[in-house]
Amino acid sequence: MGYAFACAAAALVLLASGVSYFVVSNLRGLGSSHAIGNGPKSKDGATNILLIGLDSRKDQNGDPLPNAILRQLHAGSARGVNEEGVGGYNTNTLILLHVPNDGGKATAFSIPRDDYVDYEDAVGPQQHGKIKEAYGVTKAFTEDRLRARGETGKHQLEHDGREAARKATVSTVRKLLGVPIDHFAEINLAGFYDLATTLGGVDVCLKRPVQDHYSGANFPAGRQHLNGSEALAFVRQRHGLTNGDLDRTHRQQAFLASVTHKLKQDGIFGDLGRMQGLLKVAKKDVVMDASWDVLGFAQQAKSLTGGNVEFHTLPIEGFGTINRQSVNLVNPGKIRAMVHDTLDPPKQAPAPAASGGGAAKATVDVLNGGGHAGLAAKVAGALSQDGFTTGKVGNTTPHARTTVRYGASSEAAGKKIAGLFGAKAVADASLPAGTVRVVLGPAATVPSVSGSGGHHPGPTATLPTTGAQGGAVQGGGIPCVD
Amino acid sequence: MLTPLGAGALLAGVTLAGALVDAFGNHGPGLVLGICLVAGSLLAVALVHARHVRLVLPMPPLAYAVAAAFAGLVGDSGGTGGTVGLATSASRWLSSGFVAMATATLLVAAVAVVRATTTRAR
């Protein structure tokens, strides 16, 4: 009897060990990318992870997803993907997840996909643009270079193109946020769908009913259960939402909050069958960096498995048009300061911000008449760093030199800005009161401003709770979103 | 020749020695524990009295489970807080010993079969 019991116990240990070995080996197999490189890493034991949601209709080999899946996803057809280029390689979801070492609350920052930024480690002539395009632009140029060198293998081109694209995306986000990125995970459209399906669907909550034929989102208000394809429509809808893309960002945050809530509620970490299902999804649809010990991370990330996570959306300064594209204008210095102060709040109470003698209250239009692509956005960002409100930003007809005009009650601001460009401020009654308009000439450069900016975070930066980017979305439950 | 208890003690002693080395040198169950488990299992099955050789068969996994728990809790206790933490830690410890456990069990089974056969032949 005792011998039989010992044999059964030994068999059980051996079986559990075998299953664990299989799971751990599979998890190690997920980390296939070396794109993270030798960039700076977190030093305090915390982990920063960049979650990349790729709006690609192709698999890792560059082959279109099967038609049946594309239909489920409302994502065109395989023919459209191949011949008409439906869906590109936009990183429509970029979320930096900060998991502290002490098991405390995790913090996530969503980066609006249309933020106009300087790229880092991007391949090719385009070195700034929407942050979502750093991936696709770099991939395309990398593939062109490889083809020029004689590489013809489709899978090799896809692999190398994506690796370069991941590096550009990780480096660009690292530069924009000013924090180290320790690991990343990339998931494609099918991955979202498979994840939600494997979990048995997710619960979400909508503040108002929505109907959108582009994404297939057709949901009533209130809390509801969505299957895989409905969940994908939920995170993809942007038409018909008050704040468009920014509301979609909140949908993505709500989806992730629901997933972590479900993992906790259903005890999925203890359910071998569903864990295997999740592993299968991860192997098929997720790419992670090779240096990531996922099981070790799971131990650290108790806050995530407990739903203790807060989602923020990074602020934008306004909307603009650059190269005939609608973009979000951002102030990198302000973003870095906000991220820094959210992760490591200043000990002292913030001092009141300097008013700038009234000059900073003016709204500044910046129009590029000099032909340097992207300069208007950079100038607008620098001026907003100096406390000015960003107005209209875009291109205009060519101008020989930089001009600064100001409307009623904004003479001080006009003169201050004109001084930055070595120009003369001219009153212009046709401009609205409180507005300064800068038209950049060919010799114009980004002015040095006195604001906090640069790489050194200011002491008063807090993430906004109002405006288009909205307040924080709390994990640990089912948050209601627009 | 050892009694079954003696063989068990031998295996446990050698395995725990490996666990001690790994706990302080490797921060959790590792290679030394695995090698000690295989060596201890071979010694135990080779030295136990031929009549009791089958009793060694379930010993390697059980010895590993105890030794790995010791090495893990002493050397790798950082992430064991809470149910999820303990479960993931236990998974890591178990997975790291699978190859050694399976090897030791197969070797013990092979030696046991050989010894049992040769004893009957005499």
Side-chain angles (χ1 to χ4, degrees):
Chain A
M1 181 68 183
Y3 180 68
F5 181 76
C7 283
L12 201 66
V13 171
L14 206 52
L15 182 71
S17 171
V19 170
S20 300
Y21 181 78
F22 170 77
V23 170
V24 171
S25 303
N26 270 312
L27 283 173
R28 288 205 178 109
L30 295 177
S32 59
S33 171
H34 296 275
I36 200 97
N38 295 318
K41 304 283 180 206
S42 299
K43 290 190 177 112
D44 57 357
T47 306
N48 290 336
I49 299 155
L50 180 62
L51 304 175
I52 302 172
L54 197 60
D55 194 18
S56 170
R57 276 79 162 162
K58 293 182 177 179
D59 64 17
Q60 296 299 329
N61 292 323
D63 297 321
L65 298 172
N67 265 326
I69 292 182
L70 288 171
R71 267 198 304 277
Q72 287 265 17
L73 309 184
H74 287 260
S77 65
R79 191 178 161 199
V81 173
N82 262 345
E83 295 173 15
E84 295 155 32
V86 173
Y89 284 88
N90 287 333
T91 51
N92 280 349
T93 305
L94 285 171
I95 296 175
L96 183 87
L97 184 62
H98 173 83
V99 182
N101 192 32
D102 59 3
K105 181 182 267 189
T107 309
F109 300 97
S110 288
I111 306 165
R113 64 179 194 148
D114 288 340
D115 282 5
Y116 190 85
V117 297
D118 289 335
Y119 295 158
E120 184 79 0
D121 286 333
V123 178
Q126 188 176 335
Q127 291 298 314
H128 28 245
K130 292 184 183 184
I131 197 164
K132 70 176 181 182
E133 292 171 355
Y135 192 106
V137 164
T138 299
K139 179 179 179 293
F141 275 100
T142 302
E143 288 180 1
D144 286 348
R145 278 189 183 177
L146 290 171
R147 277 193 205 95
R149 285 185 209 152
E151 177 61 60
T152 54
K154 185 183 165 195
H155 292 176
Q156 192 62 42
L157 285 168
E158 185 75 17
H159 173 267
D160 291 357
R162 284 194 183 214
E163 278 292 272
R166 288 170 191 135
K167 186 178 180 186
T169 301
V170 167
S171 299
T172 300
V173 172
R174 185 189 288 135
K175 185 182 175 188
L176 176 67
L177 271 60
V179 293
I181 294 178
D182 303 296
H183 304 292
F184 79 88
E186 173 192 299
I187 186 165
N188 61 12
L189 276 184
F192 265 111
Y193 168 79
D194 289 339
L195 173 65
T197 303
T198 305
L199 290 173
V202 291
D203 290 342
V204 299
C205 175
L206 279 170
K207 289 179 183 170
R208 49 185 68 88
V210 293
Q211 194 161 22
D212 170 43
H213 75 274
Y214 292 103
S215 60
N218 186 6
F219 310 122
R223 186 168 166 158
Q224 55 211 289
H225 185 80
L226 305 184
N227 64 25
S229 59
E230 289 168 340
L232 190 74
F234 174 80
V235 297
R236 288 186 68 214
Q237 185 191 356
R238 66 192 164 101
H239 297 282
L241 300 178
T242 313
N243 293 306
D245 257 4
L246 293 169
D247 280 339
R248 172 156 85 166
T249 300
H250 297 145
R251 294 276 187 93
Q252 294 164 354
Q253 294 168 346
F255 173 82
L256 287 177
S258 297
V259 167
T260 53
H261 180 69
K262 185 152 184 106
L263 289 171
K264 182 188 173 195
Q265 289 292 106
D266 292 8
I268 286 173
F269 289 114
D271 184 334
L272 202 64
R274 292 173 86 179
M275 269 301 282
Q276 272 189 305
L278 283 177
L279 269 176
K280 202 173 156 191
V281 171
K283 280 184 87 168
K284 186 161 82 71
D285 302 316
V286 178
V287 176
M288 301 190 311
D289 62 285
S291 59
W292 196 356
D293 172 9
V294 178
L295 209 57
F297 170 72
Q299 283 175 277
Q300 181 193 352
K302 293 184 206 78
S303 50
L304 284 184
T305 50
N308 190 11
V309 55
E310 187 171 78
F311 294 90
H312 298 278
T313 305
L314 293 182
I316 61 170
E317 300 301 312
F319 302 102
T321 305
I322 298 174
N323 296 332
R324 284 177 288 178
Q325 280 192 313
S326 298
V327 302
N328 299 334
L329 302 171
V330 296
N331 179 341
K334 194 164 146 188
I335 285 175
R336 280 192 283 271
M338 284 174 173
V339 170
H340 178 272
D341 286 359
T342 304
L343 298 181
D344 185 16
K347 305 279 185 293
Q348 293 175 332
S355 67
K361 287 177 184 168
T363 299
V364 185
D365 296 341
V366 185
L367 302 175
N368 191 355
H372 299 297
L375 185 63
K378 286 181 184 173
V379 169
L383 292 175
S384 84
Q385 215 168 317
D386 208 18
F388 294 103
T389 305
T390 303
K392 194 175 160 190
V393 178
N395 295 322
T396 186
T397 52
H399 279 58
R401 58 191 169 85
T402 299
T403 60
V404 178
R405 295 176 179 274
Y406 59 87
S409 71
S410 53
E411 183 179 354
K415 285 184 173 170
K416 186 180 176 188
I417 292 170
L420 295 172
F421 293 97
K424 191 180 171 191
V426 179
D428 186 341
S430 68
L431 288 173
T435 299
V436 177
R437 178 163 295 166
V438 182
V439 178
L440 302 169
T445 56
V446 181
S448 298
V449 293
S450 55
S452 60
H455 294 276
H456 306 290
T460 60
T462 51
L463 283 160
T465 53
T466 57
Q469 67 278 313
V473 171
Q474 299 292 338
I478 310 294
C480 273
V481 291
D482 281 315
Chain B
M1 286 288 119
L2 295 173
T3 61
L5 201 62
L10 174 67
L11 172 56
V14 174
T15 310
L16 277 171
L20 259 174
V21 174
D22 269 347
F24 294 105
N26 191 36
H27 303 297
L31 186 65
V32 181
L33 171 54
I35 291 171
C36 286
L37 178 75
V38 174
S41 302
L42 279 175
L43 280 173
V45 75
L47 296 178
V48 74
H49 198 283
R51 270 183 304 163
H52 300 125
V53 76
R54 71 181 180 96
L55 295 180
V56 182
L57 206 60
M59 286 184 189
L62 297 178
Y64 180 82
V66 175
F70 170 77
L73 290 172
V74 172
D76 183 26
S77 58
T80 52
T83 316
V84 174
L86 191 61
T88 47
S89 291
S91 297
R92 281 155 70 95
W93 302 338
L94 278 174
S95 74
S96 67
F98 175 66
V99 174
M101 244 188 295
T103 306
T105 306
L106 286 173
L107 286 174
V108 164
V111 173
V113 168
V114 171
R115 288 197 66 197
T117 311
T118 50
T119 305
R120 254 186 239 130
R122 282 182 210 146

